[in-house]
Amino acid sequence: VEGKHSTDLFTQRAVKVIDSHDNKNPMFLVVSYTAPHSPRKPSEEIVRNRNQHITDQETREYAAMVTQLDDGVGAISDALSRNNMWNNTVFLFMSDHGASVIPNSCLDTVGGSNFPFRDGKGSYFEGGIKGAAFVSTPWLSAEQRGMRSPALLHAVDVYSFIIAAAEDKLSGSLSANFTKTNENSH
């Protein structure tokens, strides 16, 4: 669709799917955002009106793409809540790699940061292979919420994670397969 960001189109479609789904039936939904990614063409409205504390133009444009992605994730979680689906949801968010930090690396542009890690996208250093991820579900105990884990996760692990979460949900607890890690190790 000419003149629309894929981030917004993906969000709109996901919200439409959620809004039209019968919440009495299970649903599996994957939203594979491409942002932030080149070409670095963020929403001009976001660049103008948000993240004004960022003075570097490249970084501000990159932050605008991340803000747009964040808005999309928020719209999806709002749709799940509005449709009484949140209480039966495992929400998994993960990045596939670190940010681009070297001009023209992997045909991408800069603006991101992987600090304190070295390098970024396209590199085998930590800045290239580590990315953000989180799980949110009402099934987590109070002790499990907000914890950080030093565990490694790869996209191929998602299937086994979902199966383990479903098995625990059926048993009434996430404690069997998800245990608290040492919070001092990050």
Side-chain angles (χ1 to χ4, degrees):
V1 178
E2 188 70 31
K4 293 287 243 171
H5 286 96
S6 62
T7 302
D8 295 335
L9 294 172
F10 293 171
T11 299
Q12 290 166 4
R13 179 66 178 145
V15 168
K16 183 177 179 179
V17 166
I18 293 165
D19 285 342
S20 64
H21 185 75
D22 179 359
N23 68 7
K24 293 175 184 70
N25 295 315
M27 178 178 66
F28 180 78
L29 178 65
V30 174
V31 181
S32 298
Y33 286 113
T34 58
H37 205 279
S38 63
R40 192 178 62 239
K41 303 245 184 233
S43 160
E44 289 301 319
E45 179 185 347
I46 293 175
V47 172
R48 269 193 317 275
N49 301 319
R50 295 168 73 183
N51 303 316
Q52 295 175 344
H53 63 285
I54 301 171
T55 56
D56 178 74
Q57 187 63 25
E58 284 183 340
T59 304
R60 189 169 181 170
E61 290 173 356
Y62 189 91
M65 291 190 297
V66 173
T67 299
Q68 197 167 4
L69 172 67
D70 186 55
D71 290 347
V73 171
I76 291 170
S77 63
D78 288 347
L80 290 166
S81 293
R82 183 175 61 250
N83 288 284
N84 298 314
M85 298 168 76
W86 185 256
N87 287 335
N88 199 26
T89 294
V90 174
F91 197 104
L92 172 64
F93 177 93
M94 62 187 294
S95 172
D96 53 354
H97 50 67
S100 291
V101 294
I102 303 169
N104 298 319
S105 67
C106 299
L107 303 175
D108 227 335
T109 54
V110 298
S113 171
N114 300 307
F115 183 81
F117 303 120
R118 179 178 173 184
D119 276 345
K121 179 179 178 181
S123 165
Y124 293 116
F125 290 108
E126 285 183 308
I129 61 172
K130 288 191 173 187
F134 71 82
V135 174
S136 182
T137 179
W139 306 344
L140 292 173
S141 69
E143 183 179 73
Q144 291 168 315
R145 293 172 193 228
M147 69 177 238
R148 294 179 65 172
S149 173
L152 297 177
L153 172 73
H154 189 272
V156 299
D157 299 319
V158 171
Y159 176 77
S160 58
F161 168 80
I162 291 170
I163 296 300
E167 288 172 353
D168 275 356
K169 172 62 173 158
L170 293 174
S171 71
S173 167
L174 280 186
S175 61
N177 292 312
F178 300 95
T179 58
K180 188 169 182 170
T181 62
N182 181 348
E183 289 185 14
N184 293 324
S185 56
H186 300 283

